[in-house]
Amino acid sequence: MSHPVDELMSEHRLIERMLSALQSQVLHADAKTFPVDYVAKALDFFVNFADKRHHEKEEKILFPALAAAGVPRQGGPIGMMEYEHTLGRNYLGTVRANLEAARTGSPAAIAAIREAVSEYTHLLANHIMKEDMVLFRMAQNVLYDQHQLAAMLEEFHDNDNPYLTDEFRAKYEAIVEECTAMVPAVA
């Protein structure tokens, strides 16, 4: 049986691909060709896939299991990951708040989106590294009861939650494929 963190790490790889594509498209685009529609599509991915699917699995399933196994929440790795999730949501809120003004060519809105995207992509890349290298390794060491792991995996695929279905993941995998295909190849 696979460990629940294996699935979370698989989702990390998808998130990393989208982070890279977003950085490539946004941070170097000029104001006249600023890719507002691309940013809107990426925002949809990060709000719905990265946050409502991935981070919710961590916050509602993995983190409580880790806390029950003795991993500190406040002042520990779980609390730090939750704090970074909140920071990420704030950056995404800045992007959302400036999309329509950027669509009209507002230099201030475009600058705000660029800054939020820069901060968000940096935050999330480091966040993923910390989870992969520290928190998920802890999880593999302290969460080993096969019945508990099976229950967690079942919760990860709760078909009553539309964010956790296989169809939902497939939809966002297709969006990542579409968005990464739009990134010019580096010569």
Side-chain angles (χ1 to χ4, degrees):
M1 169 192 321
S2 69
H3 198 282
V5 298
D6 296 333
E7 183 170 325
L8 294 171
M9 289 176 79
S10 169
E11 290 178 356
H12 277 174
R13 304 297 74 86
L14 200 59
I15 293 166
E16 287 171 330
R17 289 180 61 207
M18 193 65 159
L19 285 171
S20 178
L22 179 62
Q23 277 183 314
S24 176
Q25 289 289 8
V26 169
L27 299 183
H28 304 293
D30 63 44
K32 290 181 182 177
T33 60
F34 191 76
V36 176
D37 291 333
Y38 190 94
V39 172
K41 190 171 290 218
L43 179 64
D44 173 44
F45 173 85
F46 288 113
V47 166
N48 289 303
F49 186 87
D51 197 38
K52 290 182 180 172
R53 178 187 174 95
H54 180 81
H55 291 158
E56 293 250 343
K57 284 181 186 176
E58 292 173 344
E59 292 173 359
K60 293 186 176 174
I61 302 166
L62 178 66
F63 295 172
L66 287 171
V71 176
R73 182 171 229 125
Q74 297 303 82
I78 297 170
M80 178 54 73
M81 296 301 100
E82 290 173 325
Y83 171 71
E84 290 180 358
H85 288 176
T86 299
L87 284 178
R89 290 177 185 120
N90 292 340
Y91 291 131
L92 294 176
T94 297
V95 172
R96 180 182 302 108
N98 286 282
L99 266 179
E100 287 313 308
R103 196 174 298 284
T104 66
S106 165
I110 290 170
I113 289 173
R114 276 190 218 279
E115 183 176 342
V117 164
S118 177
E119 294 293 330
Y120 180 76
T121 56
H122 179 74
L123 170 78
L124 211 54
N126 285 322
H127 177 85
I128 287 170
M129 181 191 66
K130 287 185 264 188
E131 284 185 341
D132 285 353
M133 303 305 289
V134 178
L135 191 67
F136 290 174
R137 288 183 182 181
M138 277 185 203
Q140 290 169 324
N141 288 329
V142 300
L143 302 175
Y144 48 81
D145 177 86
Q146 294 300 307
H147 296 292
Q148 180 187 27
L149 297 177
M152 289 174 70
L153 286 169
E154 190 172 310
E155 285 184 78
F156 275 14
H157 297 274
D158 177 3
N159 285 321
D160 291 333
N161 181 336
Y163 297 107
L164 299 180
T165 65
D166 291 339
E167 294 81 13
F168 186 85
R169 180 179 171 122
K171 171 187 173 183
Y172 284 95
E173 285 175 340
I175 287 173
V176 170
E177 290 304 320
E178 177 187 345
C179 287
T180 55
M182 297 170 84
V183 175
V186 177

